[in-house]
Structures are given as structure tokens and as C-alpha cells.
Amino acid sequence: FNTSFFKKYSTLYLMNPKKRVSLTPLIQRIADYLFSPDQYLVLTPRYPRIGHLFTEIKMAIAICKEHNKKLVLVPHRTAANKEIFKCHFDCPKLPENDFKFVLLRVIISILEVFRYFYCATVPRIQKFINLKLPILDASWYTVGLQRNAETGMNYIRGQKHYYYDMEKLRQNVGIFLTNFQLSEGKKVLKKLGIPEEAQWVCLHVREDGYTKINQKNINFFNHANEGIFMDGGQYRNSSIENYFPAIRHVIKKGYYVIRMGDSSMKRIQKMEVFIDYANSQHVSDLADIFLLSQCKFMIGANSGLTDCQVLLNRPLCLLNMSDFQQIIYPEHALMIYKHIFSYRKEKILNLKELME
């Protein structure tokens, strides 16, 4: 598609915030009509970033169990991992072949197509005719979310009025892979050269590549939400080389080490029983969720991929941590913070000093 019109439209969108018209309330009303809010929680996880996707699903499961509701989980086309929607959930979940579920997805698709052509046409029309046309909200449609007027943050219906509901994130609820997913996952192990009976540890060291790629390739449908891929979190990055001693130690204990991530990550030297899965040709949504959910434990830090374990409930060893405000990990997770040097005090600060 030619994105020049979309960029012009997004300029109009940003310059005229009071003239924006959103179709999301309409979709929400349709969802409420099809599925009674007293019996169902209908949710379209918003973010095409995997950590937010998994944490939103975790909170939705906790809400459904607490309020005895059935979960209607509508996958969005930008979902960072679509395989998760096929898993077994720790709460009642409406099957995707349900008539009303299919009808809701069709309605959302039709409205998105309408939005596409509307937004592509508006700049052309206004170029020749001075019409006061409304600016249609260019963000993707969501269901099941409310906005906190004070903070501007969205939260899921049924949770406290902020995004990270720690009480629900720390509940012992989650998802389980289907027999088909487990069977396909074992095929991935074979392709990676890992014996079926072997145990492995997942490793993820955050880099800039994922957010840079998505920011560069951002298209019309999420152009107005491009801030989602603007990475202000470089302070959360680390160097993979600093993890080599830990990798060798884990390998000596008899485990395979599987490096998770994507192909933008730095390639590193080959090591025995170390699998650079991130740079392999076997990366897929199914393989991601299989490896993460079946690992012995995971070594990670402040990253979306590490946040997946909030839902998958595997033990965590978190190194080079840097955030204090949003600690969403289980209480049994082991954490070591980065060394922060204070120029004023001319020393590395301890944990107590960092919290002051």
C-alpha cells in the first residue's frame, strides 16, 4: 500500500485531537449485546508486544476465575504471538468456532476495512473540497478495556483502575499447551538438535532490534500508535557477552541453553549445547511458546519475553534488572539489579540507596 496518504491522515489525526471519532465504543456495545458482561469477559489484547499480550491475558484469566465468567478472547491481527490463543486456559473460554464469536470478528474486520478506505480517502477529498469531515481514530479497535481518566492508562474490565494489577498478576493461574502444540514442539527440539529427554534453560538478553524493526515497518493501521514501538527502554538492554560465564555454568550442570529472541539479535560464538534459536530458521509463535513453557527455568531481565513467564509460570532468574515501579514477577523469582554508579557520591549504589 502507498502509505503517503496514511501519513497525511495521521498528521490530521494528531493536529485535530478534538475532532477524532472512534469506532471502539460502537464495537464495545456490539460485544456487550452479543455477550452479556455479567457472564462474559470479552477482550482484545491491544499490544503487538509480547510482554503486554501475555500480562493482559493473565489478568483476564484471573478476572474470569474471580467473577465466575467465561473468557471471550478475540485475537487481533497485530498480536505478537497468535499461538497463545489456541492454548488451554485456566478458566472457561469460548471456542473460536462459536457463531457469536465468529460474528464479532467479522464485524470488527468489516469496520477495519471501512476505516482503511475512509482514512485513505479523506486526504484526497480535502485536497479538492473543503469538507469538515471527522477524523476517524486511527488506532486499532479494542474490546474489554476502560480508561482511567486520572492516569490516562487503560485497564481491563473487572480489575483495579490501573494497568498492572499485582494481585491478579501474582495469582497462580495460567495456560497449558494442547497435545498438538506439545507434539509440534517436540519436532522443533529435533530440528534444533536437542534430545527429547534433555532439559533446557531459556535465555533472553534484551537488545534494540525488535523495537527498531517494528518502528521502521509501522504501517497505517498502527501509525497513530507508533509510540508503542518507540523504545525509550535502552537502559534495560544488556550485553550478551556478560552472560557467557552464566551460560557455561548452566551447561556444566547438564542443561542445554536456548537463546530466545528474533533475527535482529547479535550473533555470537558457537558453544557446545548452546542453541542460538533467535538466529535460527526455526523461530515461530508455536516454538516460542513451547520452549518458554517447557523450560527448566529462564534467565532474563526487564523484557517482554521475560514477562511471558508471568503467564507461563516457569521459575525466573532475573539479571541486570533496572525497573522498580513495575515488578510484576512472582515472589519466588530471583533478581539481581544492575550496578548503578552515582557521579555525585562517586560510588556504585546499593539497593537501599537506589530505592531512596
Side-chain angles (χ1 to χ4, degrees), residues 1-16 115-116 118-124 126 135-136 138 214-226 230:
F1 297 114
N2 186 335
T3 60
S4 60
F5 292 112
F6 306 150
K7 293 180 179 179
K8 291 179 182 178
Y9 180 85
S10 295
T11 301
L12 292 172
Y13 173 86
L14 296 171
M15 291 176 63
N16 300 275
R115 179 186 58 176
Y116 173 84
Y118 180 91
C119 297
T121 306
V122 165
R124 291 183 174 181
Q126 293 193 338
I135 304 299
L136 200 60
N214 282 281
Q215 179 62 23
K216 181 179 180 180
N217 295 336
I218 209 156
N219 56 34
F220 158 70
F221 284 105
N222 51 20
H223 187 76
N225 293 279
E226 60 184 358
M230 288 182 179

Side-chain angles (χ1 to χ4, degrees), residues 287-305:
D288 282 351
I289 201 169
F290 173 81
L291 295 172
L292 289 170
S293 65
Q294 304 300 308
C295 67
K296 186 68 174 179
F297 66 93
M298 181 173 182
I299 300 174
N302 295 115
S303 71
L305 209 58

Side-chain angles (χ1 to χ4, degrees), residues 83-98:
E83 196 66 31
I84 187 175
F85 296 93
K86 304 175 185 177
C87 296
H88 294 308
F89 282 64
D90 210 1
C91 71
K93 177 170 148 315
L94 194 73
E96 293 188 1
N97 60 356
D98 180 89

Side-chain angles (χ1 to χ4, degrees), residues 13 22 35 61 83 135 158 166 175 193 198 216 218 235 276 292 321 330 336 339:
Y13 173 86
S22 176
F35 303 98
I61 293 173
E83 196 66 31
I135 304 299
M166 299 305 174
I175 61 170
K216 181 179 180 180
I218 209 156
Y235 66 93
D276 191 1
L292 289 170
M321 290 288 287
I336 299 176
H339 292 168

Side-chain angles (χ1 to χ4, degrees), residues 204-205 207 259-267 278-279:
H204 184 248
V205 182
E207 297 180 9
R259 185 202 192 186
M260 306 298 293
D262 61 86
S263 59
S264 70
M265 305 189 84
K266 179 181 179 182
R267 293 181 179 272
N279 286 299

Side-chain angles (χ1 to χ4, degrees), residues 9 11 47 71 127 151 179 216 274 281-282 291 308 310 342 350:
Y9 180 85
T11 301
Y47 283 96
L71 180 59
K127 186 176 180 180
T151 64
N179 290 334
K216 181 179 180 180
F274 174 82
Q281 60 182 354
H282 306 299
L291 295 172
C308 294
V310 171
S342 170
N350 59 38

Side-chain angles (χ1 to χ4, degrees), residues 98-131:
D98 180 89
F99 173 75
K100 290 193 291 185
F101 180 92
V102 174
L103 179 59
L104 179 60
R105 292 200 67 178
V106 169
I107 291 172
I108 292 175
S109 298
I110 291 173
L111 289 175
E112 286 205 328
V113 171
F114 166 76
R115 179 186 58 176
Y116 173 84
F117 285 104
Y118 180 91
C119 297
T121 306
V122 165
R124 291 183 174 181
I125 293 176
Q126 293 193 338
K127 186 176 180 180
F128 301 101
I129 306 173
N130 186 20
L131 294 177

